[in-house]
Amino acid sequence: MSTPAILTVDDDPNVSRAVARDLRRHYGENYRVVRASSGAEALDALRELKLRGQQVAVLLADYRMPQMNGIQFLESAMDLYPRARRVLLTAYADTDAAINAINLVDLDHYLLKPWNPPEEHLYPVVDDLLQSWLATPDAATAELRVVGHRWSAHSYKVRDFLARNLVPFRWYVADDPEGARLLAAAGLTADDVPLVVTAEGKTLVQPNEAELAGNIGLTTTPASDFYDVIVVGAGPAGLGSAVYAASEGLRTVLVERRATGGQAGQSSRIENYLGFPDGVSGAQLTERARRQALKFGAELLSAREVTALETCGSARVVHFADGSRIAAHSVVLATGVSYRMLDVPGCADLTGRGVFYGSAATEAPGCKDEEVYIVGGANSAGQAAVYFSRYARHVHMLIRGDDLRRSMSRYLIDQIEAIDNITVHPHTQVCAGGGSEHLEHITLLDTNTGVERTVDASWLFIFIGAEPGTGWLDGVVARDEHGFVLTGPDLLSGGKRPAGWPLSRDPYHLESSVPGVFAAGDVRSDSVKRVASAVGEGAMAISLVHRYLEGQ
Ligand SMILES: Cc1cc2nc3c(=O)[nH]c(=O)nc-3n(C[C@H](O)[C@H](O)[C@H](O)COP(=O)(O)OP(=O)(O)OC[C@H]3O[C@@H](n4cnc5c(N)ncnc54)[C@H](O)[C@@H]3O)c2cc1C
């Protein structure tokens, strides 16, 4: 933990030096003594300390200072450090002002100048103040802090990005006292959120994901412009590919647009992955896989979206959203799937403000004692229901079918049946939603009876269908009618190789219609949508990359 500060401000350089010297001599071991020569300078120092997440124990301000006197300074300082103990240094003639300040700025003490010897006049006072401050200090927060609005989509995006990248942070609502103090320290207002304050005290105002990534230690720029293999997407398939490729000596770069782990990273508990009899959270599995890939020397680029793929002779060129590009001998497409948007009136505008896609675990504490609605009946929805049931008053699962049996694993159905505060609503669809600042109500349609009813709802988590989002491969890589990448035997129609296929052999099993470009995991046509199969395909793609490179 960082050393708390004692700040002293006096416009007379001799007095200022003397106070700081005496304080350092006695408290220097456990406190950092910060000295300023005006109220404005002292406030700047306090703002910086605030943004760095550091504690301030005691403020000693001279009363008579030009521009801003000691009382005015202490008053402003209270907005940043309300718990710091406040001392006014006064001459005998100013005693009245000091006494008045006791009420005005809740002064803890006034100290007559000169205070010599300090052992008699200064240290006993400061010792007492430190003792009382230590009983209720401000929390030191040498960590990332986010100030935002509860119902702001941008604030949610920032929190979700940090959480999914396993970056610990502290969350403050703009109008709670510490949130307001951080905004004040950064010279901002509640209209400017989200504000991110890094552990070093750097402020990022309404940052995008690339900016965030660059400031929280994630790598966003490639170290090279040419690799043996570029893996696009860092879900289980991409991580699997990266681990195997790097461990086998291939120069490997793994590119991820949001957060490592993909869909699996959002899972509260994966219970059917081999080797984890008690289950494993998506976050844990992801973190281990990420470390494993890095250990073997794979490079991991975060917050980088791939937007195009191009063939230049034997090189495969990958384009990023910002126009830059990297190339490789081979590419593994492991871009998985994303949830389909709920296309009903009133919901689109409320995404991130009560309507969430996927489990949005960061929101769970906010659902405490509230009603939560989950749309979907597959395993992912089931896991979310179990997870949210620990927080919410009640969880409602809205499913199209009669029951969960056709869409969910037995072990999850058993768990759900045993939880009192989960209700499954069969043949029920959301047909509308609405709210002004955030989601306030949804309309439910019973598809058997055609009856609609509108219920109050602030939390709607959607787990419907999945789309591969492969539009950027148009005209380059062959896909099926739903956009999933066709590979291997699926590319052969009536025994004929795909149009434009240049080689005298058939595509390898996970190879796409472009030689040297492979697909693994959920993005592949007809793949099994599971963590284990995605990891397995990721590994298998690399053995085929070796075969491809040998044939070059
Ligand atoms: C909540 C939840 C719970 C689940 N629970 C289980 C379970 O218990 N057991 C189980 O076996 N399966 C489970 N699944 C399914 C499993 O997670 C998926 O089958 C698996 O994650 C697929 O892995 P993938 O790597 O193919 O794709 P994904 O996990 O979808 O990862 C793809 C990655 O590619 C990135 N990406 C996409 N496009 C681009 C681009 N253009 N540029 C850069 N990056 C891009 C995405 O951001 C994403 O991180 C669950 C899924 C969810 C959503």
Side-chain angles (χ1 to χ4, degrees), residues 489-539:
D490 292 343
L491 285 162
L492 305 176
S493 119
K496 277 178 62 191
R497 292 173 186 147
W501 180 257
L503 306 179
S504 55
R505 61 162 175 83
D506 287 351
Y508 294 137
H509 196 68
L510 300 180
E511 200 169 22
S512 73
S513 58
V514 178
V517 175
F518 298 82
D522 283 12
V523 73
R524 202 174 64 77
S525 180
D526 260 349
S527 64
V528 180
K529 307 289 186 274
R530 287 282 185 268
V531 176
S533 51
V535 172
E537 287 191 8

Side-chain angles (χ1 to χ4, degrees), residues 146-149 152-159 171 183 188 190-196 204-207:
V146 181
V147 186
H149 288 305
S152 134
H154 197 160
S155 302
Y156 163 67
K157 254 187 123 177
V158 165
R159 283 188 298 152
W171 160 249
L183 286 172
L188 301 169
D191 292 338
D192 301 312
V193 298
L195 162 71
V196 175
L204 310 171
V205 184
Q206 300 183 353

Side-chain angles (χ1 to χ4, degrees), residues 164 232-238 255-259 261-264 266-267 269-272 304-307 334-337 339 359 379-380 383 411 463 472 520-523 528-532 534:
R164 289 185 55 186
V232 188
V255 184
E256 170 56 47
R257 68 176 170 192
R258 286 218 79 209
Q263 298 168 72
Q266 292 182 46
S267 170
R269 186 147 291 267
I270 299 166
E271 302 204 42
N272 56 0
R304 297 303 303 264
E305 176 154 21
V306 171
T307 51
T335 49
V337 294
Y339 286 109
S359 64
N379 280 2
S380 49
Q383 285 178 10
Y411 78 91
F463 295 81
W472 56 279
D522 283 12
V523 73
V528 180
K529 307 289 186 274
R530 287 282 185 268
V531 176

Side-chain angles (χ1 to χ4, degrees), residues 188-337:
L188 301 169
T189 71
D191 292 338
D192 301 312
V193 298
L195 162 71
V196 175
V197 184
T198 66
E200 299 75 36
K202 185 167 177 191
T203 54
L204 310 171
V205 184
Q206 300 183 353
N208 61 29
E209 290 181 352
E211 238 179 298
L212 260 181
N215 280 283
I216 55 174
L218 301 177
T219 307
T220 53
T221 334
S224 166
D225 51 12
F226 199 91
Y227 296 84
D228 290 322
V229 58
I230 298 170
V231 182
V232 188
L239 284 163
S241 281
V243 166
Y244 283 91
S247 69
E248 288 160 18
L250 296 178
R251 288 169 299 159
T252 307
V253 63
L254 175 60
V255 184
E256 170 56 47
R257 68 176 170 192
R258 286 218 79 209
T260 42
Q263 298 168 72
Q266 292 182 46
S267 170
S268 46
R269 186 147 291 267
I270 299 166
E271 302 204 42
N272 56 0
Y273 187 56
L274 190 72
F276 293 90
D278 302 319
V280 59
S281 76
Q284 280 170 345
L285 191 65
T286 297
E287 175 52 16
R288 286 166 181 227
R290 194 186 66 88
R291 277 197 280 127
Q292 204 172 4
L294 293 175
K295 178 188 91 174
F296 285 124
E299 210 180 306
L300 168 57
L301 301 186
S302 300
R304 297 303 303 264
E305 176 154 21
V306 171
T307 51
L309 174 69
E310 192 192 352
T311 303
C312 287
S314 67
R316 305 290 172 259
V317 183
V318 153
H319 295 236
F320 294 115
D322 67 356
S324 60
R325 56 185 76 177
I326 50 176
H329 291 302
S330 61
V331 169
V332 176
L333 301 170
T335 49
V337 294

Side-chain angles (χ1 to χ4, degrees), residues 5-18:
I6 298 176
L7 181 137
T8 159
V9 48
D10 200 312
D11 63 311
D12 178 335
N14 291 332
V15 179
S16 170
R17 248 194 312 276

